Amino acid sequence: MSDKPTIREHWSGAWGFILAAAGSAIGLGNIWKFPYITGENGGGAFVLVYLLCIAVIGAPVMICEFALGRHTQRNPVGAFQALSPKTSVLAHLVGIGVLLAGLFLLLFGSWGWSVLLIALGLLIFRYGWTLVGVMGVTAGFTILSFYSVVAGWTIGYIWKAATNQLNFANVAMAKEHFDHFILHPGWAIGCHFLFMLLCVLIVYKGVRSGIERWSKILMPVLFLIILVLIVRSLTLPGAMAGVRFYLTPDFSKINANSVLIALGHAFFSLSLGMGAMITYGSYISREENLFSATLSVVGLDTLIALMAGLAIFPAVFAQGFGPDAGPGLVFQVLPTVFHQIPFGAFWAFLFFLLLMIAALTSGISLLEVVTAYFVDERGWARHRAAVAFGLAIFLLGSLCAISVADWSRLEGLQAVLLKIFGTTKASFFDTMDNLSSNWFLPLGGLFIALFTGWIWGTKHALDEIRHGSSNFGDVHLFSLLAGLKDDPSHNSRIHVVTLASLWGIFIRFISPVAVLIAFLHTVGWLDLRP
Ligand code: PHE
């Protein structure tokens, strides 16, 4: 097809880009998941561990993604393709490892896994690092398929709040209502469709007049709503118990497991590991400061996650509920809490609107990864790609929507999967979630760090980051921290400890090792439990 655009669209400026990227990062992960995993893992202590993971692993990997995207001006597949060497020893080693694992499994008769691994090994030989980009685009499909289902529930709950249907006397009633709602195929698929439609409409409009424009409108609204909810929550009698729980660290609850949960969540929450930030980075112009943009995005994402906790826990405690309700915290406990306070339906409406807005700006970034790939690499028109893949993801997501709890509606598919792989997850929804969150994102993050650190090289990446942010590479870190960066005697040309050198060490050694350990632990190949 010859409708390939010749000039790449760019963000109109730093703010447009930062708000779009923050919009991608801030999502269900911050408002739905962060509060409940914090609730389950010891409150304030978990928050501290999470902050450490963000600073030490999240931010360095995010800079890599922005640099990869801006340098190549391409989607994840194109970016890896452009920078991959002809042959890479590391890629070959991984390919051999996967191939051998496949052959080994053949001995044990797990032919499904074996064929899969052998095929993957051969693909790694043929395509090398480009497969990391392919995995990112695939993750765009799988994540959005289940993400959009949960986002759809928020639309349903906005409607229910607006029509005053969330009148639950207790959590058991709220749970029954919720279970009934998500298992109702009409509601589940209908709301999921509406959400995908919104994503398609925005991505269809393009980078500036679609994604950037809507991020600029929606992100301030999101901020305002969360502020209002915090004020409401904190002014309830008894709210301080929730604040105390949230801010007082209980280190006895922290173990290897919670550290790894924090690390995995840092990736999901910052939209790392699947190329969303490579894609958004590819629309940045050379003058922007990648380092300060990263700080802003990471800062905003963390701020909103912390604020979500402050909006939720004080209200939950004030009404006498516990913090460890798990995934049902937001859809079951909160509506019950709101019902007990004056103008409850209004607060519930605001809360679910907040959740929907957060999900929407993340959903568009997931769809954009897929769209950008087909526009850049396959020459599709944006309009066509957005609609076609929005529809494809809607169909895949419909399978998630009807199989949230178990396989009862997809028994045929389950039988096939069981036959091939010998095991399945609890539901199709869980399969997509597990595949994306436990496999694609950590492996993607691992390979993005390794690629930047060892293949493209921190030197080349730094040259890219330097455009628009010379401080990053040249200012002595100690002088910077001491407030002496402009002092002539602290500006020698030979710098040892700069932000860049610290970043390089993280990217080459610390991030890959940490992510690898977290990955092995979550897939069950490494047991760190006491
Ligand atoms: N960061 C989003 C959230 O917190 C989810 C997401 C993951 C979006 C990966 C894009 C890519 O909900």
Side-chain angles (χ1 to χ4, degrees):
M1 229 155 296
S2 57
D3 45 7
K4 193 168 177 164
T6 41
I7 301 172
R8 197 174 190 74
E9 219 187 335
H10 279 151
W11 310 110
S12 67
W15 257 116
F17 157 58
I18 288 171
L19 284 183
S24 168
I26 297 166
L28 296 172
N30 303 58
I31 300 168
W32 171 58
K33 196 158 179 202
F34 181 76
Y36 88 72
I37 54 177
T38 303
E40 289 174 336
N41 288 283
F46 181 80
V47 174
L48 288 180
V49 174
Y50 175 74
L51 290 181
L52 198 72
C53 291
I54 290 277
V56 170
I57 316 282
V61 173
M62 188 178 282
I63 293 208
C64 293
E65 290 208 20
F66 285 154
L68 280 166
R70 187 173 73 173
H71 187 77
T72 57
Q73 295 285 301
R74 278 279 169 282
N75 66 92
V77 177
F80 276 96
Q81 208 164 33
L83 297 174
S84 293
K86 280 229 155 47
T87 53
S88 153
V89 179
L90 192 56
H92 281 168
L93 283 179
V94 174
I96 291 176
V98 173
L99 210 59
L100 285 180
L103 292 173
F104 182 72
L105 283 179
L106 209 52
L107 297 178
F108 289 92
S110 348
W111 61 270
W113 288 109
S114 163
V115 169
L116 188 75
L117 288 183
I118 292 174
L120 189 62
L122 293 174
L123 283 175
I124 296 175
F125 263 99
R126 171 73 181 77
Y127 294 104
W129 289 96
T130 307
L131 282 188
V132 181
V134 175
M135 186 165 73
V137 175
T138 315
F141 272 93
T142 53
I143 299 180
L144 192 50
S145 73
F146 71 88
Y147 199 83
S148 159
V149 172
V150 180
W153 299 344
T154 67
I155 297 186
Y157 268 60
I158 293 175
W159 167 252
K160 282 170 191 288
T163 51
N164 210 1
Q165 294 178 48
L166 302 175
N167 307 311
F168 311 123
N170 52 48
V171 177
M173 272 174 70
K175 181 172 177 341
E176 202 188 306
H177 186 91
F178 178 68
D179 288 344
H180 186 75
F181 168 70
I182 63 173
L183 289 177
H184 189 291
W187 273 107
I189 295 183
C191 293
H192 156 62
F193 177 80
L194 269 182
F195 182 79
M196 281 309 302
L197 185 68
L198 291 177
C199 290
V200 169
L201 286 177
I202 296 178
V203 170
Y204 186 92
K205 286 290 222 174
V207 175
R208 258 196 217 187
S209 37
I211 302 176
E212 176 175 335
R213 174 154 168 256
W214 282 97
S215 303
K216 279 182 167 163
I217 298 173
L218 294 173
M219 294 315 284
V221 174
L222 176 137
F223 198 77
L224 211 72
I225 297 182
I226 203 165
L227 268 184
V228 172
L229 285 169
I230 290 179
V231 172
R232 170 64 283 193
S233 180
L234 284 177
T235 48
L236 288 170
M240 278 308 131
V243 179
R244 235 171 283 127
F245 162 77
Y246 193 42
L247 299 181
T248 319
D250 174 3
F251 284 101
S252 68
K253 292 250 179 71
I254 295 295
N255 52 32
N257 203 26
S258 37
V259 174
L260 297 175
I261 292 179
L263 184 59
H265 185 66
F267 262 78
F268 186 81
S269 186
L270 292 174
S271 305
L272 296 177
M274 53 81 63
M277 295 304 180
I278 297 181
T279 309
Y280 275 18
S282 74
Y283 306 127
I284 313 177
S285 69
R286 278 298 216 30
E287 297 79 54
E288 306 299 350
N289 185 330
L290 291 185
F291 176 56
S292 62
T294 302
L295 288 188
S296 310
V297 175
V298 169
L300 285 171
D301 184 67
T302 312
L303 181 72
I304 297 292
L306 295 177
M307 288 172 81
L310 267 191
I312 293 173
F313 288 124
V316 167
F317 275 77
Q319 302 309 122
F321 295 103
D324 47 2
L329 181 66
V330 158
F331 288 101
Q332 295 161 19
V333 179
L334 272 191
T336 319
V337 166
F338 288 134
H339 179 57
Q340 296 177 358
I341 57 185
F343 307 108
F346 171 71
W347 300 115
F349 176 83
L350 267 195
F351 180 81
F352 288 109
L353 184 65
L354 168 80
L355 208 54
M356 204 277 282
I357 292 177
L360 183 58
T361 49
S362 300
I364 55 180
S365 73
L366 289 160
L367 183 58
E368 178 61 23
V369 173
V370 180
T371 306
Y373 166 71
F374 280 89
V375 170
D376 291 347
E377 307 300 316
R378 307 265 154 193
W380 285 40
R382 164 173 287 275
H383 293 171
R384 179 165 163 229
V387 173
F389 293 102
L391 194 66
I393 295 171
F394 164 70
L395 293 177
L396 187 66
S398 298
L399 298 184
C400 295
I402 57 170
S403 87
V404 171
D406 55 39
W407 289 92
S408 56
R409 290 187 181 123
L410 293 173
E411 273 155 1
L413 182 60
Q414 185 191 23
V416 173
L417 290 177
L418 266 178
K419 201 157 181 63
I420 300 178
F421 298 113
T423 147
T424 53
K425 289 277 151 193
S427 64
F428 188 74
F429 181 99
D430 282 338
T431 309
M432 290 296 117
D433 181 7
N434 172 53
L435 200 62
S436 327
S437 315
N438 297 344
W439 292 80
F440 291 157
L441 292 191
L443 283 177
L446 172 68
F447 288 126
I448 286 169
L450 285 176
F451 185 81
T452 312
W454 299 94
I455 308 291
W456 186 28
T458 36
K459 164 85 184 66
H460 289 121
L462 178 60
D463 286 344
E464 179 59 46
I465 300 168
R466 255 208 192 99
H467 284 281
S469 94
S470 56
N471 274 359
F472 184 68
D474 302 326
V475 172
H476 194 299
L477 186 61
F478 290 157
S479 315
L480 184 72
L481 290 177
L484 295 172
K485 84 177 164 64
D486 298 323
D487 180 78
S489 67
H490 286 78
N491 248 345
S492 86
R493 294 303 305 162
I494 305 163
H495 300 299
V496 185
V497 189
T498 58
L499 278 166
S501 58
L502 210 62
W503 164 80
I505 291 171
F506 274 106
I507 281 306
R508 283 159 73 96
F509 303 102
I510 299 177
S511 311
V513 171
V515 177
L516 188 65
I517 293 177
F519 168 69
L520 293 176
H521 179 83
T522 23
V523 297
W525 295 341
L526 180 76
D527 195 357
L528 294 176
R529 266 171 293 246

